[in-house]
Each structure stands twice: as C-alpha cells, then as structure tokens.
Amino acid sequence: MTTTVSGTHTAGRREQILRAAVQQGLLEPGTALLAGFVDLDGVEATVTSLHRAFPASLRTLHAFAAKANCLVPVLAELRRLGMGCEVASAGELDQALEAGFAPEQIVFDSPAKTRAELTRALSLGVAVNADSFQELARLDAILAAGPSASRLGVRVNPQVGAGSIGAMSTATATSKFGVPLEDEGNRQRLLDAYRERPWLTWVHTHVGSQGCPLDLIARGVAKAVEFAEEVNAHVGRRQVTGIDIGGGLPVNFDSDETTPGFDTYVAHLREHAPALFSGAYEIVTEFGRSVLAKNGFMAAYVEYTKTVGGRPIAITHAGAQVATRTVFAPDAWPLRIEAHDHLGRAKQGRPVPQDIAGPCCFAGDLLARERALPLLDVGDLVVVPDTGAYYFSTPFHYNSLPEPAVHGARVAADGSVTFEPLRPARSAHPAPVLAGGL
C-alpha cells in the first residue's frame, strides 16, 4: 500500500513516514502499539557516502557489523548495495548466509569462537580473525586436516586508550579483545606466529565505537598498519596483504545532522596511517551504527498519562525492551524524543518537562527524564529517532514483551511512501504446544 506525502528534511521525512504508517494501519491503538521503521532510501544514501569516502583505487570491502541490525531483509538490502558482512556469532553467520552474502564477503570476529564454529567458517571460506594465541592453536589443528580458502588474520589490541564510554572502548590496556601489542613479549611472539604460519595474511584491529574520538581510532589503525609492515619486514616478503580496520565511527545523537562523516574519518586515517592508502593492502571496514542508526526510528503510543510529585509522566509502549542501553545507561546513551498526535502530526504547544516511561515493570524504565515537550496525551505517539541500530532490531525480552514489527520505508519522488515488512510483530515466548491437545 502507498501513501502520498511530500517533503525532504529529516524531521519532516520521519513525520511523512509516521503519518503514512498510521494511515496504513501499521500503527494502531490496541493492536500495533509500537513499531520500528528503517528509511531504506537513507540507508542507500549512507552506503553510497561510505563507498565514496574511500578511494576507488583501493581494494576495499565494507563489511556491515551485523550486530548493529541483524534483520535478514536489512542485511540483504546492504548486500544489494555492495556491502559485505561482519559477524560475531554462529547465529549472525547464519543470518548473513540467509541474506545471500557469499562466504568471501563475510568476516567472522568473536573472542569466543568454538572449535566447531571455526571448522565451519574455514570449510565455507569465511574470513576469520583470531582473537588470541590459543585460538591460533585451534586454527593450526583445523588446518592440519586440510587447507581453507578463508582469509586469516590476528586481531591486535593497539592499546591506545579509551573513549568517553568505557564499555565501547576496545583498545584499552586491559581490553578483553585481541592480542595486546604492548604487553611484554607479545610483539615478538606475534612476529614469530606470522613467520611460522604463511597463511596468516591479515591484521585486524578495532579501537571502539560510540564515544571514541576519530584521532584515537586513527592512531589505533596506524599501529595495526605499522605492525603489518613490521611483519612483512620480519619475514622478508609481503605476507600481510590485508588490514581490517574495524568500524567505530561515532554517531551524533543530539540532532539530525550526520556528523562526523565517513570522509572526515578517512581524512584522519590519511593523517595517521598514510601507508594504508599506498595500494599495498586490501582493506576491510566493519561499520555498523554509523550506517543504520540515523536511518531508523521507532514510534509508540501513549497508553496513559499521570502526574506524580508534580511531574507529568507519559506511559508508552517503548521502554527497556527496545531501548535497553538508554534505560540502563541514560547518560551515555541519551535519545531524542518527538511528540506527535494520533494522526502522526508533530504536536505544537508550550514545552512541559515530563518523563517518558516504558511498559516494563521496574521504576527505572524511562526513555527520558524531565524532557521538555508539548504535553503528551493518551493516544499520542512518541517518536524516537536515531534507533536504526541496536534498538528495535535486537529487543530485550524483559516481561516477555513481544518483539515489535519493523517496516522498511521508501519515499518516491512524488512523495508517496511504500512500506515493506522487515520483521513481523511476534511474541517473545510463543505458547507451548501441549501433547494431546487441550
């Protein structure tokens, strides 16, 4: 079904999609109380900007980090747009394959890969980055049984420090990820590991994501590139032919402005790691949040309102189950909230500080505290922008709340909005089938 609307500004575009969703019954009081939306046109524009930021002369695979949005139709759309896929579990590998990615387009990263998972990845030809010396020993045993077409490397921790969100910083002195380059003896041990294993042809690093400044990320990448050069000098040939630089471009959650851009990120890489652009190396990137976050939003109905201690509270159907990080770490993961009426139109009126609460059965289930918005009423809709990654796509099954439907949206030149299903609404815990009937 198609609804005709007009306008191009980001906030206006959200309202267009929202109003069309209400008109088409994708949001409806009593039945469709919460839904996620992915702007597929926006996704295409973002992926195009990513491809353009890196020189066309370089052999580059942009592998989308599946954990950011693991919905198979979304992954299939990204594949259609020319991306690869980075996976961090056997489940994500299954989703990537279901989405149609060829094994050579998939990169498997995880600090806890099992022997069975490694065997499967190597039999398929999926790229693997070993996270530890013990994992290298497992790869030795598997490869002793026969060769693999997989690109194989080691994840190194450049130990360049943390950003403003410790949980998102993976290149600290004590991070659980990778082999720490600066720990005593590790550099020589790694150099020997590469010399003894000619099939180790990649170096991988990932400094972190939200909260990590670009200079920090670029300095970490520079240390990985320097180590690749050191390996090649140590073995006397160009054994390392590829560098996986991870992802981590932070997202602006304060406004609709997309900043920093991929071009800004590349400029920092050129400054700190010029050898990366020499053409001597293939490159893999692993962006996730920066590809999807600003191209998605969720919308939920206000079920009740009340005033407690003089403060208005709106009880909505969006809470910890779809905004887990924001609810449990609001200072690190604040989200904007927009107020709309029952038809999806932006509400007008004097801003009033109010709490925006979710449906979960604990007191801290709040999307926002004392947020100044036009006073919300029963039946209104709240819109939460910038949630296309890590929010509605991977719900938290608290209170056995159902997973919300997710819809892809496209806006035609004439302003018409067309939706396509990305995930149906479904129960978190389907009713069991009883033997012998009821």
Side-chain angles (χ1 to χ4, degrees):
M1 185 174 177
T2 299
T3 302
T4 300
V5 291
S6 62
T8 56
H9 186 264
T10 304
R13 187 179 177 89
R14 276 195 299 275
E15 183 174 335
Q16 294 162 26
I17 294 171
L18 180 69
R19 293 176 68 172
V22 172
Q23 292 172 23
Q24 297 183 31
L26 303 181
L27 287 164
E28 195 167 34
T31 57
L33 302 167
L34 166 67
F37 298 89
V38 177
D39 184 344
L40 297 174
D41 300 322
V43 172
E44 182 171 3
T46 299
V47 173
T48 298
S49 72
L50 171 57
H51 285 301
R52 288 177 177 169
F54 283 75
S57 59
L58 298 179
R59 296 161 294 167
T60 306
L61 174 68
H62 297 294
F64 176 75
K67 57 185 168 289
N69 189 315
C70 56
L71 302 181
V72 171
V74 172
L75 297 179
E77 178 69 11
L78 293 167
R79 176 187 56 77
R80 186 186 69 80
L81 295 172
M83 293 196 75
C85 192
E86 185 264 344
V87 302
S89 71
E92 288 181 0
L93 175 56
D94 288 340
Q95 290 163 328
L97 292 169
E98 185 180 349
F101 287 99
E104 61 268 21
Q105 296 175 302
I106 302 173
V107 180
F108 188 14
D109 296 322
S110 165
K113 307 180 199 74
T114 67
R115 189 179 303 274
E117 290 168 355
L118 288 169
T119 299
R120 183 188 181 207
L122 267 61
S123 69
L124 290 170
V126 167
V128 172
N129 291 311
D131 196 76
S132 65
F133 290 113
Q134 290 179 357
E135 188 177 336
L136 272 180
R138 284 191 178 179
L139 290 175
D140 286 337
I142 295 168
L143 290 170
S148 169
S150 296
R151 304 187 308 276
L152 301 173
V154 176
R155 177 169 181 169
V156 298
N157 174 5
Q159 295 177 292
V160 290
S164 61
I165 304 176
M168 296 293 106
S169 301
T170 57
T172 62
T174 56
S175 171
K176 74 175 187 179
F177 292 102
V179 177
L181 269 180
E182 303 304 331
D183 280 16
E184 185 176 357
N186 272 358
R187 184 179 294 270
Q188 186 59 50
R189 191 177 175 190
L190 272 175
L191 290 172
D192 292 343
Y194 273 85
R195 188 187 65 248
E196 295 161 4
R197 298 169 176 85
W199 42 265
L200 276 181
T201 57
W202 280 72
V203 170
H204 173 225
T205 196
H206 176 65
V207 172
S209 52
Q210 197 66 20
C212 289
L214 296 189
D215 269 348
L216 181 73
I217 296 173
R219 285 193 287 111
V221 171
K223 290 188 70 172
V225 174
E226 290 166 5
F227 177 71
E229 300 270 82
E230 190 175 355
V231 169
N232 290 338
H234 183 71
V235 301
R237 59 190 173 85
R238 294 205 67 80
Q239 177 173 319
V240 175
T241 57
I243 301 178
D244 184 332
I245 63 174
L249 185 71
V251 169
N252 167 34
F253 286 96
D254 294 331
S255 72
D256 281 329
E257 185 180 2
T258 300
T259 181
F262 294 113
D263 53 350
T264 304
Y265 173 76
V266 169
H268 282 261
L269 290 178
R270 285 188 180 278
E271 178 184 353
H272 290 277
L276 185 66
F277 299 91
S278 67
Y281 298 102
E282 294 182 60
I283 299 171
V284 166
T285 71
E286 299 174 356
F287 297 108
R289 180 181 292 106
S290 53
V291 174
L292 258 295
K294 299 196 81 65
N295 292 311
F297 68 91
M298 56 187 171
Y301 280 101
V302 176
E303 192 67 34
Y304 296 105
T305 61
K306 60 178 72 171
T307 300
V308 179
R311 183 187 302 171
I313 301 176
I315 310 295
T316 80
H317 289 278
Q321 87 278 26
V322 286
T324 313
R325 289 177 175 176
T326 294
V327 168
F328 288 107
D331 293 336
W333 298 99
L335 287 171
R336 293 179 290 146
I337 308 290
E338 297 173 345
H340 295 257
D341 67 15
H342 68 289
L343 296 177
R345 300 173 301 195
K347 290 199 74 169
Q348 306 299 319
R350 180 176 63 86
V352 176
Q354 55 200 295
D355 289 354
I356 314 301
C360 296
C361 195
F362 66 95
D365 184 30
L366 298 170
L367 291 181
R369 294 166 171 80
E370 296 187 82
R371 188 66 57 85
L373 295 166
L375 190 63
L376 289 161
D377 300 308
V378 172
D380 282 345
L381 284 158
V382 293
V383 165
V384 190
D386 306 331
T387 50
Y390 295 105
Y391 282 89
F392 54 74
S393 62
T394 38
F396 171 38
H397 292 148
Y398 196 90
N399 287 146
S400 296
L401 288 163
E403 296 183 359
V406 181
H407 309 280
R410 300 185 194 274
V411 182
D414 64 359
S416 59
V417 181
T418 303
F419 293 99
E420 55 189 80
L422 300 179
R423 182 182 68 203
R426 57 194 181 196
S427 171
H429 296 283
V433 177
L434 302 178
L438 298 176

